[in-house]
């Protein structure tokens, strides 16, 4: 399985990681190496095997509908790189 | 009564599917203990979980599960005793975790039905495809700063039910009826307050058109987040017309997401055209599958209220109401309940008439809900009793009702305060009749000569003489008797 | 006071209660050791003042007869555990200056038991690595050196490399680790200490920076098996804030020590002895088998047929989950932010600057295997193979009570080796990853030295929730091996 530059650019955009054009080739090569090694899974017969999707088969616990959290704007915003008046901020989004 | 778009090449029909996002009524959020209430200051209803802080984990709110099952039962839908939460991955300013916890291929509720009540009294069943639970996103505010958008996460993590219809709707009218019916059912169930203006119920519409008679579906466009029933109807109408115009001029429709501009009355492509979405759904490893047993479902089923369709059928069969009157009365649970108190042991059609006509006119004018009605159901019932036992006349009843609306006082109190009692003393009415006949011999002659209409004039005179307290029927009877003698 | 750093946790616990020395003295001795051994780079953040404060409070509780299970014991906390008011970095630039306003459940439990945190331990960035060379804060040095030959600095293993180095070098008495594919067991083996990954669901993940949610488990790293049992008991237990946390009662792991292995059936999986297995590793494994046999255990040959597919399965599952877990590092609510001309540009620049090469590589792989058109071929396939791997263990545990294998295919290597071949680096975890995928408990016990004098570990695996049997086997190995622990440095 070999990944081309265009594929790397597409997944890097999906993952929101800027990859300079000059690096696309190297990254494509590295990822292709890893994906090539992963290809061996194709050998395994998994017909009629139910996928294991989590780490546990414990029953999902439910909690009561009670307000037990919130009302801590200062703590929630304490680490914000650019908080303003109780809000987080981002570069202006045009819709 | 089908909705056809006329074109130069022929007739077109519109195919519409709706996705309703209904905010679940619960105290706390779907996966955190922060409050789900509206109206707090920025980021006040936010926990570290809602803010997507490192190491934070979701734990599901049982109330939200119950509410989804309850809604599924209300839509007569398949309840899935095992469903799976999946992560829908995308980046956006108001999505703190970088993914929305939603349900993908295994939702909590499967196929169901919603019955439309159309204006001409007919009904039509619309298929429900699925209902799933998911988190709401936060809010971006774009007008507080020149170069920044401000982010408030109070809504982030609030439980939503996404209810997806099959593409069964065929006109803007049906779209309106669907949304009204959906809202009505959700309110009956107490699972969502259905307030579109506040955003607790939001609607996306998928619209496509095809030549009448065609069976294949053409490319659809999704119109996002329209915030009133009327606007959804307008948006669908505009969008359908746009599709017909494009096809007829030889163009092609691109599958895309569009916004409805209610000021201009048109839809447009979302300007920030994102690259093709690839949500990379996968089962959320922080949450095992959601599972419950039949007993859980049955315990909820037992507490379901009578729903609009059943109530309507009962109102028609038990009370003899028209489909129209029944529709109006069942549209809100409280209306039906009010009506039934008024109708109990009384003339049900008369009760329906008073509620639907007189009471609703007043409430509409004053902008009040039925819960805020200045006239209680018991008091309106009492008014009907006073008519029935001839204590007051129909005309007096209207006067009494107005006084009840203005003062909020009991019917009986107002009857005596306003001196509205009908005269029941026949001798007093007889005296008045004699007086009127004596004073108008000329008219008496006319009547005896065969001019029957004069009787009405005499009744009016007697009523006047008794300050309206005489029962008109009694007056009329007495007059006939005297004039005949 | 150097000898204070040579005690085990169990020894120090008893002596503190007998007031032979104070918690403050014990803490000061370790702070001094940290100062002397700064060049290990085992800590990202040190908290000496906080430590003295907590040690004094411990002395008060000891005086009042209210000592907790780890009262006054100086510990290191892997910098993947969020600690209230103390910077938490996951060894990543992207968490620049992040100071949580909350404490992870596990570190809170350790605090509540009276332990004294000395600081936050270095690790591979976001716990992604096997050598601690991917840390934004620089590599950690293994306190062990090869005899003769080069004097090269060796890796301490990873990702819990700061923890393993500090425990091995007596900078702390114990440390927390996290293990996603071997990140407790492999560094324990590389530094000659004990590392325990309990059953998935034993330790709460709440407040631990997530790498791969279905695999991440916290566990103790100590110099003795008894210390690991003491520490693990404090760390685990049900947490209502983690939906994958078990409600199972927590056994007294220390109580089973001394029960030995008589009558236990020990499984030896043939797939862990591939052609070309390092001869010294192979020999040590045989020695371990002999020790257990001598102690009265029965040895049974078992097969775990899907073993060779565990690593490629892991390198789909873990990056996929990581690509989603690490989406929250976006420059908006905490951590690093790089300006951009639009929202997406800000995201892309922040994440490009904030993540290191290995983390980016894994995010990209994870994004790829989940993306439209590839999900079934990779992610779904991997989940199915994972189910087969788990079933291998279920079948095996019908024939045996515990499984013995080597922990890692080699001893510690030099910093700078294997750097440019990701797959070669991934092979470090070939023996630890299967148990992670199956969710079963596993421990590494130091069992011998290579000819160059470097530590090697043996791994003990048991079925889920049976850490007690695991501890019994570990202790027998420990007693038989008489491993020459490093002295206080
Ligand atoms: Mg949708
Ligand atoms: Zn949705």
């Amino acid at each position: 399985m070999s990944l081309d530059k265009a594929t790397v650019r597409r997944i890097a955009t999906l993952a929101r990681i800027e990859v300079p054009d000059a690096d696309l080739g190297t990254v494509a090569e590295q990822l292709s190496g890893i994906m090539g090694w992963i290809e061996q899974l194709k050998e395994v017969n998994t017909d009629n095997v139910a996928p294991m999707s989590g780490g546990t088969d414990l029953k999902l616990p439910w909690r009561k509908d009670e307000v037990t959290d919130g009302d801590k704007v200062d703590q929630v915003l304490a680490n914000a790189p650019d908080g303003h008046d109780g809000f987080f901020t981002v570069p202006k989004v045009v819709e | 009564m089908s909705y056809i778009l006329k074109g130069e090449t022929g007739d077109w029909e519109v195919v519409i599917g709706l996705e309703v996002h209904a905010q679940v009524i619960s105290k706390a959020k779907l996966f955190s203990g922060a409050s789900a209430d509206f109206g707090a200051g920025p980021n006040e209803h936010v926990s570290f979980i809602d803010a997507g802080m490192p190491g934070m984990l979701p734990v599901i709110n049982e109330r939200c599960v119950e509410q989804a099952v309850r809604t599924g039962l209300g839509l007569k839908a398949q309840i899935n005793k095992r469903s799976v939460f999946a992560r829908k991955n995308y980046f956006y300013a108001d999505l703190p975790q970088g993914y929305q916890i939603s349900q993908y291929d295994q939702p909590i509720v499967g196929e169901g039905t919603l019955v439309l009540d159309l204006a001409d009294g007919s009904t039509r069943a619309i298929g429900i495809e699925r209902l799933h639970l998911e988190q709401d996103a936060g809010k971006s505010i774009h007008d507080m700063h020149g170069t920044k958008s401000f982010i408030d996460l109070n809504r982030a993590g609030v439980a939503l039910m996404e209810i997806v219809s099959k593409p069964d709707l065929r006109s803007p009218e049906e779209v309106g009826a669907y949304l009204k019916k959906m809202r009505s059912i959700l309110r009956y169930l107490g699972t969502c307050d259905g307030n579109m203006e506040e955003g607790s119920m939001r609607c996306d519409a998928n619209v496509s058109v095809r030549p009448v008679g065609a069976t294949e579906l053409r490319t659809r466009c999704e119109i996002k987040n329209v915030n009133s029933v009327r606007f959804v109807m307008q948006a669908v109408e505009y969008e359908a017309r746009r599709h017909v115009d494009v096809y007829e001029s030889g163009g092609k429709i691109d599958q895309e997401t569009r916004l409805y501009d209610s000021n201009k009355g048109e839809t447009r492509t979302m300007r920030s055209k994102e690259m093709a979405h690839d949500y990379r759904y996968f089962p959320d490893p922080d949450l095992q599958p959601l599972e419950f047993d039949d007993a859980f479902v049955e315990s909820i089923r037992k507490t379901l209220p009578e729903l609009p369709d059943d109530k309507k059928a009962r109102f028609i069969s038990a009370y003899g109401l028209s489909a129209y009157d029944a529709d109006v009365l069942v549209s809100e649970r409280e209306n039906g309940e009010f009506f039934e108190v008024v109708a109990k042991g009384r003339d049900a059609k008369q009760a329906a008439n008073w509620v639907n006509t007189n009471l609703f006119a007043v409430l509409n004018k004053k902008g009040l809900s039925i819960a805020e009605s200045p006239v209680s159901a018991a008091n309106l019932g009492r008014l009907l009793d006073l008519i029935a036992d001839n204590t007051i006349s129909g005309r007096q009843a209207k006067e009494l009702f107005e006084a009840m609306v203005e003062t909020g006082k009991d019917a009986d109190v107002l009857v005596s305060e306003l001196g509205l009692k009908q005269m029941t003393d026949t001798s007093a009415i007889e005296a008045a009749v004699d007086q009127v006949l004596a004073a108008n011999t000329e008219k008496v002659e006319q009547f005896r000569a065969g001019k029957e209409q004069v009787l009405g004039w005499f009744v009016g005179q007697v009523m006047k003489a008794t300050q309206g307290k005489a029962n008109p029927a009694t007056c009329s009877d007495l007059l006939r008797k005297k004039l005949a003698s | 006071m150097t000898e204070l750093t040579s005690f085990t946790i169990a020894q120090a616990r008893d002596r503190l209660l007998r007031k032979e020395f104070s918690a403050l003295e014990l803490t000061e001795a370790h702070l001094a050791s940290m100062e002397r051994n700064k060049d290990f780079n085992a800590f990202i953040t040190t908290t000496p003042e906080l430590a003295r404060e907590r040690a004094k409070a411990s002395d008060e509780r000891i005086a009042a007869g209210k000592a907790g299970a780890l009262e006054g014991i100086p510990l290191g906390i892997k910098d993947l555990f969020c600690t209230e008011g103390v910077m938490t970095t996951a060894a990543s630039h992207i968490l620049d200056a992040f100071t949580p306003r909350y404490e992870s459940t596990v570190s809170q439990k350790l605090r509540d038991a009276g332990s004294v945190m000395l600081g936050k331990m270095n690790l591979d960035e976001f716990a992604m690595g096997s050598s601690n060379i991917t840390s934004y804060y620089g590599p950690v040095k293994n306190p062990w050196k090869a005899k003769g030959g080069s004097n090269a600095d060796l890796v301490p293993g990873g990702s819990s490399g700061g923890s393993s180095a500090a425990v091995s070098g007596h900078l702390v008495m114990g440390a927390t680790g996290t293990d996603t594919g071997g990140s407790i067991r492999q560094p324990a083996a590389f530094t000659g200490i004990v590392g325990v990954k309990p059953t998935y669901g034993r330790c709460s993940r709440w407040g631990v920076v997530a790498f791969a949610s279905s695999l991440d488990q916290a566990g103790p790293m100590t110099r003795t098996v008894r210390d690991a049992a003491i520490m693990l008991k404090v760390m685990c237990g049900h947490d209502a804030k983690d939906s994958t946390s078990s409600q199972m009662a927590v056994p007294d792991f220390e109580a089973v020590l001394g029960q030995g292995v008589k009558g236990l059936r020990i499984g030896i999986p043939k797939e862990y002895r591939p052609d070309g297995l390092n001869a010294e590793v192979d020999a040590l494994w045989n020695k371990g088998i002999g020790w257990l046999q001598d102690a009265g255990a029965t040895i049974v040959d078992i097969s775990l047929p899907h073993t060779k597919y565990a690593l490629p399965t892991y390198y789909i599952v873990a990056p996929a989950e990581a690509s989603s877990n690490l989406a929250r590092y976006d420059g908006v609510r905490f951590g690093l932010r790089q300006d951009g001309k639009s929202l997406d540009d800000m995201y892309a620049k922040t994440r490009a600057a904030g993540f290191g090469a290995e983390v980016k590589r894994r995010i990209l792989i994870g994004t790829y295997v989940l993306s439209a058109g590839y999900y079934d071929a990779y992610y779904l396939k991997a989940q199915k193979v994972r189910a087969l791997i788990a079933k291998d263990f279920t079948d095996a545990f019908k024939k045996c009570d515990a499984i013995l294998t080597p922990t890692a295919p080699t001893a510690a290597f030099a910093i700078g080796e294997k750097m440019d071949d990701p797959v070669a680096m991934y092979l470090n975890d070939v023996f630890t990853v299967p148990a992670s995928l199956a969710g079963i408990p596993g421990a590494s016990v130091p069992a011998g030295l290579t000819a160059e004098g470097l530590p090697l570990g043996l791994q003990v695996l048991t079925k889920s929730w049976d850490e007690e049997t695991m501890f019994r086997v570990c202790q027998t190995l420990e007693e038989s091996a008489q491993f020459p622990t490093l002295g206080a440095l």
Side-chain angles (χ1 to χ4, degrees):
Chain A
M1 185 69 219
S2 129
L3 280 78
D4 56 16
K5 287 188 189 181
T7 305
V8 173
R9 186 175 302 138
R10 183 175 61 81
I11 58 178
T13 308
L14 268 179
R16 301 293 189 277
I17 295 175
E18 190 175 75
V19 178
D21 281 353
D23 297 353
L24 285 173
T26 322
V27 176
E29 210 173 293
Q30 281 175 345
L31 298 188
S32 296
I34 296 165
M35 291 313 298
W37 168 70
I38 285 172
E39 285 301 294
Q40 57 180 300
L41 284 189
K42 289 214 169 114
E43 301 163 19
V44 187
N45 181 345
T46 51
D47 296 348
N48 306 314
V49 176
M52 175 173 173
S53 61
T56 178
D57 48 15
L58 299 171
K59 198 177 168 316
L60 181 75
W62 299 2
R63 60 168 230 282
K64 293 248 174 291
D65 181 27
E66 286 162 358
V67 176
T68 54
D69 209 338
D71 290 313
K72 48 181 169 200
V73 185
D74 291 350
Q75 295 175 61
V76 164
L77 268 98
N79 286 283
D82 185 35
H84 268 277
D85 309 322
F87 292 95
F88 299 104
T89 71
V90 295
K92 196 164 192 115
V93 179
V94 189
E95 261 169 0
Chain B
M1 199 181 67
S2 61
Y3 178 82
I4 300 293
L5 292 136
K6 295 277 175 202
E8 281 174 10
T9 61
D11 289 351
W12 298 78
E13 72 169 351
V14 57
V15 177
I16 309 144
L18 297 180
E19 289 175 21
V20 168
H21 281 93
Q23 187 196 318
V24 173
I25 292 178
S26 64
K27 295 193 198 103
K29 295 184 179 183
L30 181 54
F31 294 114
S32 90
S35 169
D37 282 353
F38 270 105
N43 290 304
E44 279 176 4
H45 289 174
V46 175
S47 71
F48 295 134
I49 299 169
D50 309 317
M53 292 284 171
M56 293 300 98
L57 297 170
V59 181
I60 198 164
N61 181 339
E62 63 178 15
R63 177 79 181 146
C64 300
V65 178
E66 280 169 27
Q67 294 286 57
V69 170
R70 174 179 285 270
T71 306
L73 291 172
L75 295 170
K76 307 203 165 24
Q78 162 83 35
I79 306 297
N80 296 325
K81 287 182 282 178
R82 183 180 194 276
S83 61
V84 171
F85 285 103
R87 294 187 183 177
K88 179 180 182 179
N89 296 284
Y90 65 96
F91 285 85
Y92 200 66
D94 56 21
L95 187 73
Q97 295 157 308
Y99 55 84
Q100 177 196 32
I101 305 178
S102 181
Q103 295 187 306
Y104 183 49
D105 52 357
Q106 299 177 71
I108 183 167
V109 174
E111 292 187 349
T113 309
L114 181 141
V115 177
L116 301 187
D117 304 291
L118 299 166
D120 63 359
S122 66
T123 60
R124 202 159 91 73
I126 302 299
I128 299 292
E129 176 70 35
R130 59 183 280 159
L131 174 156
H132 68 249
L133 274 171
E134 63 183 21
Q135 299 177 297
D136 203 350
K139 216 170 74 182
S140 306
I141 303 155
H142 307 301
D143 54 7
M144 287 183 72
H145 192 280
T147 59
K148 298 167 199 242
S149 291
F150 282 36
I151 309 297
D152 175 11
L153 299 178
N154 282 347
R155 312 304 310 145
V158 168
L160 300 178
M161 297 178 284
E162 180 174 326
I163 308 167
V164 183
S165 84
K166 291 188 183 288
D168 286 354
L169 297 156
R170 292 289 177 273
S171 70
E173 188 211 350
E174 289 188 353
V175 165
Y178 178 93
L179 291 173
K180 283 179 192 152
K181 187 59 169 286
M182 181 63 76
R183 182 166 60 191
S184 170
I185 291 172
L186 295 173
R187 286 183 176 169
Y188 264 69
L189 294 166
T191 57
C192 170
D193 70 21
N195 191 328
M196 288 191 78
E197 285 70 27
E198 272 187 22
S200 47
M201 186 169 136
R202 306 192 285 263
C203 179
D204 304 340
N206 289 298
V207 180
S208 65
V209 299
R210 63 186 172 195
V212 168
T215 50
E216 94 287 5
L217 292 169
R218 294 203 177 188
T219 307
R220 64 190 158 87
C221 288
E222 185 177 22
I223 311 164
K224 276 246 180 260
N225 272 330
V226 195
N227 66 356
S228 85
V229 174
R230 195 163 53 91
F231 290 159
V232 182
M233 293 168 70
Q234 289 169 2
V236 166
E237 190 172 359
Y238 174 90
E239 186 64 12
R241 189 72 245 175
R242 187 182 74 84
H243 283 217
V244 170
D245 291 348
V246 168
Y247 287 130
E248 295 222 318
S249 60
K252 102 183 218 309
I253 294 289
D254 292 326
Q255 181 159 349
E256 61 178 358
T257 302
R258 298 175 70 86
L259 286 177
Y260 180 63
D261 182 333
S262 57
N263 293 319
K264 293 188 182 153
E266 59 188 40
T267 65
R268 58 177 158 81
T269 303
M270 281 175 90
R271 223 195 305 170
S272 59
K273 211 175 185 179
E274 289 165 80
M275 54 168 185
H277 279 300
D278 185 344
Y279 292 122
R280 292 159 284 138
Y281 281 99
F282 73 106
D284 191 329
D286 288 330
L287 295 161
Q288 298 91 296
L290 174 60
E291 291 177 299
F292 44 77
D293 56 13
D294 286 320
F296 175 74
V297 179
E298 290 316 308
S299 71
I300 294 170
R301 196 192 300 277
K302 264 189 239 143
T303 65
L304 287 186
E306 181 184 38
L307 289 167
D309 292 338
D310 295 333
K311 187 165 282 195
K312 177 182 172 184
R314 183 167 62 82
F315 280 9
I316 291 171
S317 66
Y319 295 116
L321 301 189
S322 67
Y324 174 81
D325 272 345
D327 271 342
V328 175
L329 287 172
V330 305
S331 67
E332 297 281 350
R333 186 173 176 171
E334 294 77 10
N335 293 355
E337 284 167 1
F338 191 101
F339 160 74
E340 292 208 83
V341 173
V342 178
K344 193 172 184 195
R346 303 190 177 99
D347 179 339
K349 283 188 187 172
Q350 191 189 21
N353 202 38
W354 270 88
V355 173
N356 279 351
T357 314
N358 305 48
L359 181 68
F360 286 166
V362 165
L363 295 180
N364 278 340
K365 206 169 91 191
K366 293 184 175 281
L368 297 175
S369 73
I370 199 154
E372 300 162 322
S373 169
V375 178
S376 71
N379 249 329
L380 183 56
R382 187 66 199 131
L383 180 145
L384 297 191
D385 292 342
L386 292 169
I387 298 172
D389 67 9
N390 284 329
T391 304
I392 56 173
S393 65
R395 202 175 62 78
Q396 286 176 316
K398 295 223 163 79
E399 193 184 334
L400 172 61
F401 181 70
E402 273 166 35
M404 287 163 73
V405 167
E406 289 319 311
T407 65
K409 290 181 182 173
D410 284 359
D412 290 298
V413 172
L414 285 170
V415 163
S416 61
E417 271 186 24
L418 300 174
L420 283 175
K421 256 191 173 92
Q422 285 195 125
M423 270 183 182
T424 46
D425 179 358
T426 329
S427 62
I429 300 173
E430 207 172 340
V433 165
D434 289 341
Q435 210 186 325
V436 168
L437 293 179
N440 296 285
T441 48
E442 200 180 316
K443 292 264 196 274
V444 173
E445 288 312 315
Q446 286 176 4
F447 179 85
R448 287 185 173 147
K451 204 171 175 193
E452 285 266 335
Q453 313 85 295
V454 182
L455 184 70
W457 182 84
F458 275 122
V459 172
Q461 291 303 303
V462 176
M463 293 299 287
K464 208 166 161 187
T466 58
Q467 287 103 43
K469 291 176 192 170
N471 181 305
T474 314
C475 293
S476 171
D477 285 352
L478 281 170
L479 279 164
R480 274 186 190 281
K481 215 191 303 171
K482 301 260 177 189
L483 286 166
S485 65
Chain C
M1 294 299 261
T2 303
E3 73 274 16
L4 285 187
T5 61
S6 63
F7 291 124
T8 66
I9 291 174
Q11 290 164 344
R13 172 186 65 180
D14 299 343
R15 286 165 170 76
L16 281 167
L17 292 183
R18 292 201 299 267
K19 305 199 177 65
E20 290 183 18
F21 46 81
S22 70
L24 186 59
E25 287 168 319
L26 188 63
T27 287
E28 290 293 0
H30 285 89
L31 290 174
S33 172
M34 282 160 58
E35 198 55 39
R36 284 197 304 279
N37 295 297
K38 260 186 174 162
D39 64 320
F40 291 160
N41 197 28
F43 287 81
I44 289 175
T45 303
T46 58
T47 52
E49 285 318 310
L50 193 63
R52 289 187 180 102
E53 215 174 277
R54 289 185 187 168
K56 282 179 204 159
S58 277
D59 282 325
E60 282 165 24
R61 282 191 292 272
I62 291 169
K66 289 177 182 160
L70 287 168
E71 200 63 66
I73 302 296
L75 298 179
I77 303 295
K78 186 177 183 179
D79 205 16
L80 204 61
F81 294 80
C82 289
T83 42
E84 192 176 4
V86 177
M87 188 170 79
T88 299
T89 69
S92 182
H93 187 31
I94 207 152
L95 269 167
D96 216 28
F98 174 62
T99 307
R101 295 302 190 266
Y102 49 92
E103 182 85 31
S104 80
T105 298
V106 164
S107 56
Q108 183 67 51
K109 280 172 177 284
L110 289 167
R111 263 176 82 170
D112 292 346
S115 72
V116 175
M117 178 177 80
L118 301 185
K120 305 294 294 288
M121 314 313 297
N122 205 341
L123 65 151
D124 278 299
E125 184 180 2
F126 280 105
M128 296 179 186
S130 309
S131 55
N132 215 116
I133 53 168
T134 70
S135 169
Y136 177 71
Y137 296 89
V140 175
K141 289 184 200 167
N142 193 327
W144 292 76
K145 290 257 185 184
K147 279 191 301 205
S150 82
N151 192 35
D153 285 325
L154 305 177
V155 301
S159 66
S160 310
S163 296
S164 68
V167 172
S168 170
H170 297 250
L171 283 67
V172 296
M173 304 197 87
T176 60
T178 62
D179 190 313
T180 303
S183 278
I184 287 175
R185 291 161 286 163
Q186 183 259 15
F190 274 22
T191 55
I193 64 167
V194 177
V196 173
K197 178 200 95 76
T199 311
Y200 181 87
R202 270 281 192 219
C203 286
S204 169
R205 294 184 295 115
W206 193 88
V208 185
V209 173
F211 162 14
S213 310
S214 75
L215 297 159
D216 296 344
Q217 258 303 288
M221 302 175 77
T222 57
R223 290 190 290 270
T224 69
V225 173
R226 181 175 299 276
D227 286 1
I230 294 169
M231 211 173 139
L232 180 62
K233 178 162 195 277
V234 172
M235 291 169 70
C236 53
H238 178 245
D239 182 7
K241 293 185 287 191
D242 174 0
S243 297
T244 62
S245 165
S246 163
Q247 310 221 22
M248 200 94 57
V250 179
D252 183 352
F253 303 118
E254 200 183 356
V256 305
L257 299 180
Q259 288 181 11
V261 295
K262 207 176 174 99
L264 290 183
R265 298 162 303 165
I266 307 295
I268 308 299
K270 63 170 188 276
E271 292 79 5
Y272 282 58
R273 206 184 300 263
D275 291 340
L277 177 64
N278 178 302
E280 289 182 309
V281 170
D282 198 5
L284 181 72
W285 189 10
N286 288 333
K287 245 180 172 176
I289 292 168
W291 294 331
L292 295 178
Q293 219 160 10
D294 292 347
T298 313
I299 304 300
V300 287
D301 288 327
I302 58 165
S303 172
L304 299 165
H306 295 90
T307 299
K308 76 175 267 212
Y309 301 109
L311 264 185
T313 298
Y314 177 85
Y315 276 94
I316 290 173
V317 172
E321 292 182 12
S323 71
S324 177
N325 283 333
L326 270 58
R328 67 188 59 202
Y329 305 99
D330 61 3
V332 178
R333 283 148 289 108
F334 43 78
L336 185 74
R337 170 156 176 170
Q338 300 278 292
D339 288 335
K341 53 187 189 296
S342 66
L343 178 64
D344 282 332
D345 192 41
M346 185 275 278
Y347 287 152
K349 288 200 156 61
T350 297
R351 291 163 63 80
F355 292 133
E358 179 63 20
V359 173
K360 284 181 198 168
R361 207 152 35 226
R362 297 202 198 186
I363 291 175
L364 292 177
I365 288 176
T367 304
Y368 180 65
V369 298
L370 288 174
S371 66
Y374 297 99
Y375 181 89
D376 287 3
Y378 292 116
Y379 192 71
L380 191 63
K381 180 81 181 180
Q383 287 190 323
K384 289 178 177 178
V385 180
R386 184 176 180 182
L388 291 173
I389 290 164
K391 187 177 175 294
D392 281 355
F393 282 107
T394 308
D395 293 345
F397 286 122
K398 287 173 188 153
K399 296 191 197 125
C400 64
D401 305 299
I403 293 171
L404 184 74
T405 78
T407 307
T410 65
F413 46 86
I415 294 176
E417 262 179 59
K418 307 192 190 189
M419 291 279 293
D420 36 353
D421 183 356
V423 174
M425 188 64 88
Y426 298 166
L427 289 170
N428 269 298
D429 294 330
V430 66
F431 298 142
T432 49
V433 153
S436 295
L437 290 169
I440 61 172
S444 178
V445 184
L449 297 176
T450 63
E452 283 188 305
L454 294 179
L456 291 173
L458 288 175
Q459 175 178 239
V460 180
L461 307 173
T462 54
K463 60 177 178 289
S464 289
W465 316 113
D466 191 16
E467 286 86 353
E468 288 164 283
T469 299
M470 182 185 78
F471 275 114
R472 287 167 61 188
V473 178
C474 286
Q475 199 198 24
T476 299
L477 292 172
E478 182 181 51
E479 282 169 354
S480 311
Q482 291 298 310
F483 182 81
T485 308
L486 277 189
L489 301 166

